[in-house]
Amino acid sequence: MSKVLVIAEHDGANLNGSTARAVSCAADLGLDAVDVVVLAADGSAVAEQAAKITGVSTVLLVQNPANENAVAAILAPQIEALAADYSHVLAPSTTFGKDLMPRVAAHLGRPQISDIMRVESATVFDRPVYAGNAVITVEAPEGLVIGTVRTASYKAASNDGSASVETRSVDATLPSHTRFVGLESGGGGDRPDLQAAAKVVSGGRGVGSEENFKAIYSLADKLGAGVGASRAAVDAGFIPNDHQVGQTGKIIAPDLYMAFGISGAIQHLAGIKDAGTIVAINKDADAPIFEVADFGLVADLFEVIEELEKAL
Amino acid sequence: MKILVGVKRVVDFNVRIQVKPDGSGVATDGVKMSMNPFDEIAVEEALRIKEAGNAEEVIVATIGPKACQEQLRTALAMGADRAIHVLTDDEIQPLTGARILKALADKEEPQIVMLGKQAIDDDNNQTAQMLGALSHWPQATFASEVKIEGNTAIVTREVDAGLETLSIDLPAIISADLRLNEPRYVKLPDIMKAKRKPLEAIALADLNVEVAPTVKVIKTTAPAKREAGIKVGSVAELVTALKEKGLI
Amino acid sequence: MERESMEFDVVIVGAGPAGLSAACKLMQLAEKNEQELMVCVIEKGSEVGAHILSGAVLEPTAMNELFPNWKELGAPLNTEVKGDDVYYLTGEDKGIRTPNFFIPKPMHNDGNYIVSMGNVCRWMAEQAEGMGVEIFPGFTASEILYNDDGSVKGILTGDMGIAEDGSEKDSYMPGMELLAKQTIFAEGCRGHLGKQLMESFDLNKDADPQHYGLGIKEVWTIDPEKHQEGLVVHTAGWPLDNHTEGGGFLYHMENNQVSLGFIVALNYTNPHLSPFDEMQRWKSNPKISQFLEGGERVSYGARAVNKGGMQSVPKLSFPGGLLVGCDAGFLNGAKIKGNHTAMKTGMLAAETVIESLKAGDVAGKELSLMDEKYKSSWVFDELHKTRNFGPALHKFGTFLGGTFSWFDQNIFAGKLPFTWRNTTPDHATLKPAAKCPVINYPKPDGKITFDKLSSVFLSSTNHEEDQPCHLKLTDPSIPLSQNLPLYNEPAQLYCPAGVYEVVKDEEGNDKFQINGQNCVHCKTCDIKDPAQNITWVTPEGGGGPNYGNM
């Protein structure tokens, strides 16, 4: 029997949404079962959430005070002990999974497939290289497959499952050389960080001025979105350059990207090509941004912002 | 103490990547090659630790063909004390790379091994963590701040949730993220001096490292282009569409 | 301020064909004479070759002299010219192949090679380094350093880590003085130091103004079925009118790639003309598009070339230094080639410097021997023979001028006893926009023709974001007060990288915007601005395009 184990990402209280995306990828493998493991100090609440993910057979709950915080060197030996029952072990390709999985793989003498974006078969995968400018199709060598799942490539599995939760104890020696000191949540202020934001509202030269950018900020705050800008807007002095999205600025992959008054130079598009849904609002119907936008609206951006704010 | 820094030769980050029409890889002929930018940050951090009086020697190492010497010379010009070049013409994947670095660490006994968080060619983001596992040393990946306090390092890490701080015992592995520092400009006289700094070449075969099982690359393709979606006629239509997708 | 300095025997500015030939020749001669010699080459590109853009069909004359065994040494001259087609394009879908007999002799390419000059330079740099030359890519020569007696004592490398507002960033690294007995300036066409030297030493006193063209080039990977390695195609005529000089080229290189480009002479008169758009629509002529259909564009770049020929060559020597290659202007317009003459003049400079050092000359001496060597070299012979080619095209238009050149070159072998001159500088040729026809360029199709920004993208151009703009306006009001009303601010069109734009500001007023980040270092603005108000200076070292295989 071939089974896949997905490592749950959580903060002790809530399951991170990336887990359900990794489960979607695991389901694509077409194996006999998808199990999820929750490693926590007190993980029953998280395990219950994981049990609801559609397609999960069993949730393994491994509780240990050492698992209070997700420290790779401490979690890795526990996963290694569990891996013997599985043909595949996957984790989301978040900083959590990226930190943890290679440590597991190396101990077990296995290579790792990073950032799986498509499953072709149980051993053949697509993954991006060169910052997404090329995609390679790779075949894992025979034996245990260890990988991380590019979350932007998978929709979260839905939430109507009812897996059983099994408490497990694992026999592993845990190191004491790594101590968690603290976590300071990012962003600084209420507005999410551009690179981490699930939604981004972005303005271009069409916004017209620094003063006018207030409308962009206002909409962003209403949506709980980060604020981005095209290089033209940055060059024109409308907004500081740490907001710049594109080849020379930040490369981002939010679920929703709303571009206001951005023409869509290729340099800008290079920074958003992995966005989930792109919405473009521009007066110029010929603007290149419409060639990549999922939803385009030819209109005055200020009127659109006003109406959107009312509708939200 | 000694710091060992691993560096990799990669296609320069400014170069537009072109996938070869036959799917055999990306075009690298006549293309500018550079030190992986995250590795450059790792070299810089090692030098700053040394300059702060917390280390005596910075050793930089690379694995690859003869041309990789260029990147070692760059690191030496930045200020590294000496270099080790593990010579091989084979493609080295992360686990084998980590085993090679482990062999070098066993020999040099550094207190810190600094690496870039990932190479901008294969984007694997694995080597530092794998080396951590193989050496049973602590790891602090995605570092944005490193403080050395005696036999421990206090490392701030850029994680998705924000900034996490770990305290790790040395020896340890640290991988550098983008905001750790801004690497220095290299000075002309230092480029000339770098040519005279020691550079030891070791044939891979002489290290007795077992090559790990490898991931086979079947083909390389250009990423799918985004297709144009639909034009909506009004804000109301747009709001409905976004609500349907659960985006607002 | 007190700056660090380093001393060399010879400092060479620019690692192009001229500078690297000078470096190689210096070391060869030093070895022969058992002379100790410290030579350094500085190069503003991030690596050797990063800023090299050339056709290029290379005539191997100079290479044969410099490295008689270049084949064994592995020089990347791999594709011999096998066919040589010249078309006169008569319209957007028509063109006539010109029979070989009617083609002026200098345009014949037997024995020449299709190369990537960037790769040739990379190879020459390896040879030079092997002989002990210090090559420093990523460093600019920002200023000329003078001795108290006015002679050149070297150059200052550009400061690094200066913020846009001029303040020093944490990474600030002051430039260094590189001092030399002789400094060889090999910056290429319209070098920004070369321009200053010509002024301060009045080197142009006996020469006509230099004339320029803007070359815009692309590299394509094409359908192997359509690829004919070694085929050279040149075109004249469409899309330019009979009074605008220029033409296109398409060379079939190795690896199913073609190198193609279009040169527009910068003495054009219509401010509505856009060299970039001329180049794009030129590709849509079936004589060109037949090769490109189904292919993929992989690279883009642009660079000004000098085409003044013999009449425009300045004095080459001045106290403490020499001008070589396109920094002086040795391109042979009839052959459309300047690499061999650039290389040769670099070699002549090397010989000159070695003789001077051998004679025990003091640093800072003026080596007029260089000018003598040039006048007795084959470079001068070539330029002399073809001296009327450019002026004839200018005087009579492409068709009659071309006919003259055929008689001049094929019948009289360049020996006609007169020399035509063209004394109007290129920046003074524009006519008022209101008096010129507007040119309606077709929209790019995204397959054969493209827009400017997606083109610049393929040049891999990058500059450190936070640095002062390297395109300086002497009078910031001129673009809007003079250039816009009179000439529709032609910078918007002549710049092949979209650096200059006239946009509306917050109050709806016109604003002249410079996107220095996009600059591919072609120098056209420095040449063509009608008010001569734009000065190109060096940005932070390593900035600019990153051409591979160009």
Side-chain angles (χ1 to χ4, degrees):
Chain A
M1 201 165 102
S2 303
K3 295 195 295 180
V4 49
L5 181 64
V6 174
I7 317 298
E9 178 174 357
H10 62 88
D11 61 5
N14 291 300
L15 188 67
N16 187 294
S18 60
T19 312
R21 292 174 185 251
V23 167
S24 293
C25 172
D28 283 358
L29 293 167
L31 303 179
D32 302 318
V34 178
D35 292 352
V36 172
V37 62
V38 175
L39 297 132
D42 173 8
S44 46
V46 173
E48 261 171 51
Q49 295 166 36
K52 291 207 178 83
I53 302 174
T54 311
V56 175
S57 309
T58 308
V59 174
L60 311 180
L61 176 58
V62 180
Q63 304 201 97
N64 185 329
N67 293 347
E68 174 75 37
N69 296 290
V71 172
I74 291 169
L75 301 185
Q78 303 174 59
I79 296 165
E80 286 153 34
L82 295 167
D85 298 337
Y86 295 89
S87 62
H88 292 67
V89 182
L90 299 180
S93 188
T94 54
T95 51
F96 162 79
K98 286 174 177 171
D99 187 39
L100 173 61
M101 295 308 276
R103 191 148 180 131
V104 173
H107 251 164
L108 297 172
R110 302 300 301 164
Q112 176 186 296
I113 317 279
S114 296
D115 301 313
I116 295 169
M117 57 192 286
R118 204 174 70 91
V119 172
E120 204 162 285
S121 75
T123 53
V124 178
F125 309 94
D126 283 357
R127 59 173 300 262
V129 291
Y130 291 96
N133 287 304
V135 173
I136 54 174
T137 304
V138 295
E139 183 172 14
E142 205 175 308
L144 177 68
V145 175
I146 292 183
T148 59
V149 178
R150 184 173 177 276
T151 51
S153 299
Y154 289 91
K155 282 201 166 61
S158 47
N159 221 6
D160 53 10
S162 53
S164 56
V165 177
E166 269 178 35
T167 304
R168 284 281 182 94
S169 62
V170 294
D171 184 21
T173 320
L174 306 184
S176 60
H177 53 45
T178 306
R179 291 159 300 273
F180 175 85
V181 178
L183 176 70
E184 191 187 311
S185 57
D190 297 336
R191 197 170 293 127
D193 180 65
L194 179 56
Q195 252 161 332
K199 298 172 199 169
V200 171
V201 177
S202 202
R205 185 183 280 163
V207 175
S209 70
E210 193 178 349
E211 178 68 22
N212 289 352
F213 244 87
K214 284 186 184 154
I216 301 287
Y217 283 108
S218 155
L219 178 64
D221 289 346
K222 203 127 200 182
L223 286 166
V227 171
S230 70
R231 173 142 127 217
V234 170
D235 282 351
F238 300 166
I239 183 166
N241 70 5
D242 54 343
H243 289 271
Q244 185 179 318
V245 172
Q247 188 73 32
T248 53
K250 295 188 169 72
I251 292 174
I252 57 173
D255 297 332
L256 174 64
Y257 185 79
M258 302 185 81
F260 289 90
I262 291 177
S263 67
I266 189 163
Q267 290 80 349
H268 185 77
L269 302 182
I272 57 168
K273 62 180 187 308
D274 289 334
T277 298
I278 296 176
V279 175
I281 289 97
N282 204 302
K283 266 197 278 199
D284 175 10
D286 291 331
I289 186 107
F290 288 122
E291 286 162 29
V292 300
D294 300 282
F295 300 108
L297 178 55
V298 181
D300 177 88
L301 68 97
F302 300 105
E303 287 168 19
V304 171
I305 289 177
E306 217 182 291
E307 277 189 64
L308 269 175
E309 289 205 1
K310 275 184 210 150
L312 291 169
Chain B
M1 72 173 184
K2 287 187 199 173
I3 305 177
L4 176 67
V5 190
V7 303
K8 184 177 181 188
R9 176 182 170 90
V10 298
V11 173
D12 186 83
F13 76 102
N14 285 311
V15 171
R16 304 289 162 256
I17 296 303
Q18 260 131 15
V19 175
K20 290 190 203 162
D22 65 0
S24 64
V26 305
T28 52
D29 287 348
V31 159
K32 191 192 170 203
M33 306 295 284
S34 294
M35 193 195 304
N36 178 41
F38 293 108
D39 300 346
E40 210 178 328
I41 294 170
V43 172
E44 176 67 34
E45 195 63 21
L47 295 173
R48 290 186 187 190
I49 293 170
K50 183 186 161 189
E51 284 159 1
N54 289 320
E56 285 82 49
E57 191 180 29
V58 174
I59 307 157
V60 33
T62 196
I63 307 163
K66 196 151 185 284
C68 301
Q69 236 195 59
E70 254 180 72
Q71 281 60 49
L72 291 178
R73 292 288 175 205
T74 304
L76 292 171
M78 286 174 75
D81 298 289
R82 60 189 169 93
I84 302 172
H85 186 177
V86 178
L87 269 163
T88 174
D89 287 333
D90 296 339
E91 186 220 335
I92 299 296
Q93 295 191 351
L95 184 52
T96 306
R99 287 178 180 174
I100 294 169
L101 289 173
K102 166 82 166 46
L104 297 182
D106 287 347
K107 198 167 139 227
E108 297 288 346
E109 301 181 336
Q111 288 294 99
I112 300 176
V113 179
M114 294 274 320
L115 297 167
K117 73 163 179 180
Q118 73 193 71
I120 61 164
D121 51 3
D122 59 28
D123 285 337
N124 272 317
N125 197 329
Q126 298 175 7
T127 308
Q129 297 88 312
M130 288 181 158
L131 179 57
L134 298 179
S135 57
H136 299 278
W137 288 358
Q139 71 188 41
T141 52
F142 316 126
S144 67
E145 198 188 344
V146 177
K147 280 187 280 193
I148 306 296
E149 294 176 357
N151 280 327
T152 53
I154 311 295
V155 182
T156 306
R157 307 176 57 229
E158 282 195 41
V159 296
D160 295 335
L163 296 174
E164 182 193 82
T165 307
L166 292 182
S167 163
I168 53 176
D169 295 339
L170 301 183
I173 319 291
I174 299 173
S175 86
D177 211 327
L178 192 63
R179 275 166 282 268
L180 180 56
N181 59 51
E182 196 182 326
R184 65 195 64 192
Y185 293 106
V186 171
K187 285 183 168 179
L188 287 178
D190 293 339
I191 297 176
M192 293 172 71
K193 273 184 221 149
K195 292 187 181 169
R196 294 187 293 272
K197 285 188 180 175
L199 191 156
E200 178 191 3
I202 306 174
L204 176 55
D206 295 344
L207 281 178
N208 294 320
V209 169
E210 189 196 345
V211 173
T214 49
V215 174
K216 190 174 136 205
V217 179
I218 299 170
K219 65 172 192 285
T220 305
T221 47
K225 288 209 169 84
R226 282 190 90 100
E227 300 284 325
I230 54 162
K231 287 247 172 86
V232 293
S234 68
V235 174
E237 235 181 281
L238 177 64
V239 169
T240 313
L242 293 180
K243 277 194 176 145
E244 264 172 29
K245 292 192 107 185
L247 289 165
I248 55 173
Chain C
M1 81 186 259
E2 192 64 23
R3 289 183 182 273
E4 281 184 69
S5 70
M6 277 162 83
E7 266 185 71
F8 295 89
D9 293 302
V10 186
V11 167
I12 299 171
V13 182
L20 290 170
S21 296
C24 291
K25 190 75 192 173
L26 279 166
M27 298 318 276
Q28 289 173 349
L29 292 172
E31 198 195 332
K32 204 170 128 199
N33 297 342
E34 296 178 354
Q35 233 171 323
E36 276 274 319
L37 201 64
M38 290 261 291
V39 176
C40 102
V41 181
I42 68 163
E43 163 58 43
K44 69 180 163 66
S46 62
E47 64 162 353
V48 174
H51 290 184
I52 298 294
L53 184 145
S54 181
V57 172
L58 179 68
E59 183 182 303
T61 38
M63 183 64 90
N64 290 336
E65 291 179 21
L66 187 58
F67 292 108
N69 56 339
W70 57 260
K71 256 193 189 133
E72 295 145 43
L73 294 173
L77 278 62
N78 301 325
T79 306
E80 233 176 297
V81 175
K82 293 203 187 82
D84 213 347
D85 287 351
V86 178
Y87 291 97
Y88 191 84
L89 305 182
T90 51
E92 62 185 291
D93 52 5
K94 300 187 279 291
I96 331 158
R97 180 150 177 252
T98 317
N100 224 10
F101 174 75
F102 289 110
I103 295 166
K105 267 189 185 159
M107 286 186 72
H108 291 226
N109 277 308
D110 317 322
N112 295 338
Y113 293 83
I114 299 172
V115 299
S116 150
M117 211 53 207
N119 290 346
V120 172
C121 287
R122 288 181 181 98
W123 176 84
M124 285 212 289
E126 278 171 31
Q127 309 308 308
E129 283 187 318
M131 291 187 274
V133 175
E134 298 283 352
I135 301 181
F136 300 126
F139 290 89
T140 63
S142 67
E143 283 173 42
I144 304 162
L145 299 172
Y146 294 96
N147 290 306
D148 293 341
D149 65 1
S151 62
V152 171
K153 72 169 172 184
I155 55 97
L156 180 66
T157 67
D159 292 342
M160 310 279 260
I162 303 274
E164 193 177 357
D165 61 10
S167 62
E168 292 169 13
K169 294 187 274 184
D170 290 346
S171 56
Y172 174 67
M173 185 177 79
M176 269 189 80
E177 294 188 342
L178 300 185
L179 309 177
K181 297 192 175 89
Q182 286 286 325
T183 306
I184 298 177
F185 292 85
E187 302 164 282
C189 175
R190 194 76 168 192
H192 86 122
L193 299 183
K195 186 178 155 185
Q196 293 169 27
L197 290 166
M198 289 189 215
E199 272 167 36
S200 45
F201 295 106
D202 205 11
L203 302 176
N204 282 318
K205 193 170 52 176
D206 302 317
D208 286 350
Q210 185 58 269
H211 296 285
Y212 301 90
L214 171 59
I216 301 176
K217 174 179 166 179
E218 296 177 353
V219 175
W220 285 61
T221 300
I222 64 166
D223 180 354
E225 300 265 299
K226 297 173 179 170
H227 189 253
Q228 302 172 43
E229 188 167 333
L231 175 64
V232 164
V233 178
H234 285 104
T235 76
W238 188 86
L240 300 177
D241 62 33
N242 193 35
H243 296 288
T244 308
E245 298 158 39
F249 63 86
L250 185 147
Y251 306 147
H252 292 251
M253 310 188 285
E254 314 153 75
N255 302 328
N256 292 321
Q257 291 198 321
V258 294
S259 150
L260 62 138
F262 198 81
I263 299 171
V264 175
L266 288 177
N267 60 4
Y268 66 83
T269 57
N270 183 347
H272 301 299
L273 185 142
S274 160
F276 174 84
D277 294 291
E278 296 294 344
M279 191 271 180
Q280 293 302 320
R281 68 171 172 174
W282 165 76
K283 283 185 290 177
S284 63
N285 186 291
K287 296 284 178 240
I288 301 303
S289 63
Q290 60 172 337
F291 297 114
L292 305 182
E293 272 153 15
E296 192 192 356
R297 187 171 71 143
V298 296
S299 200
Y300 171 88
R303 184 72 172 93
V305 296
N306 18 30
K307 57 176 209 46
M310 185 198 83
Q311 294 89 320
S312 303
V313 171
K315 188 162 169 285
L316 306 174
S317 59
F318 45 87
L322 300 169
L323 281 178
V324 298
C326 289
D327 220 347
F330 296 105
L331 182 124
N332 180 335
K335 285 186 176 176
I336 340 174
K337 285 179 193 65
N339 287 316
H340 64 302
T341 51
M343 288 177 69
K344 178 66 181 177
T345 54
M347 292 156 66
L348 294 175
E351 291 170 18
T352 305
V353 170
I354 287 286
E355 282 178 41
S356 158
L357 291 175
K358 224 168 137 187
D361 286 347
V362 290
K365 197 179 173 205
E366 174 170 342
L367 307 181
S368 51
L369 177 65
M370 174 70 191
D371 297 272
E372 290 162 31
K373 278 186 179 283
Y374 156 61
K375 290 218 170 90
S376 53
S377 73
W378 53 255
V379 176
F380 181 81
D381 288 346
E382 260 196 55
L383 295 185
H384 185 260
K385 265 186 210 160
T386 55
R387 69 195 179 283
N388 287 328
F389 182 86
L393 293 180
H394 180 68
K395 246 184 162 86
F396 304 122
T398 322
F399 197 74
L400 281 179
T403 312
F404 164 81
S405 288
W406 181 82
F407 278 102
D408 179 38
Q409 297 298 312
N410 295 33
I411 305 295
F412 298 105
K415 289 181 184 145
L416 288 173
F418 51 82
T419 299
W420 283 332
R421 304 178 59 192
N422 174 4
T423 53
T424 313
D426 293 349
H427 64 81
T429 58
L430 283 181
K431 292 178 182 160
K435 295 196 173 135
C436 294
V438 172
I439 308 173
N440 287 313
Y441 293 108
K443 269 190 79 166
D445 64 11
K447 293 188 179 77
I448 301 287
T449 60
F450 301 90
D451 66 25
K452 253 187 210 178
L453 283 180
S454 59
S455 302
V456 178
F457 185 68
L458 293 179
S459 66
S460 301
T461 296
N462 190 38
H463 290 88
E464 161 58 42
E465 293 263 347
D466 187 14
Q467 64 169 309
C469 181
H470 72 281
L471 300 147
K472 306 280 183 206
L473 299 178
T474 311
D475 176 351
S477 74
I478 285 181
L480 296 179
S481 66
Q482 292 181 24
N483 286 353
L484 187 62
L486 253 176
Y487 304 113
N488 203 25
E489 185 43 90
Q492 302 180 83
L493 292 180
Y494 61 61
C495 173
V499 169
Y500 301 97
E501 289 178 287
V502 176
V503 297
K504 297 284 180 203
D505 72 3
E506 311 184 5
E507 280 87 44
N509 300 317
D510 287 327
K511 185 181 150 207
F512 187 61
Q513 177 154 317
I514 305 180
N515 308 309
Q517 279 265 339
N518 281 2
C519 176
V520 295
H521 299 198
C522 76
K523 315 283 176 75
T524 302
C525 50
D526 194 286
I527 296 164
K528 186 64 177 170
D529 180 51
Q532 286 294 281
N533 185 46
I534 302 175
T535 304
W536 188 98
V537 302
T538 45
E540 189 166 286
N546 283 286
Y547 298 139
N549 297 323
M550 281 290 253

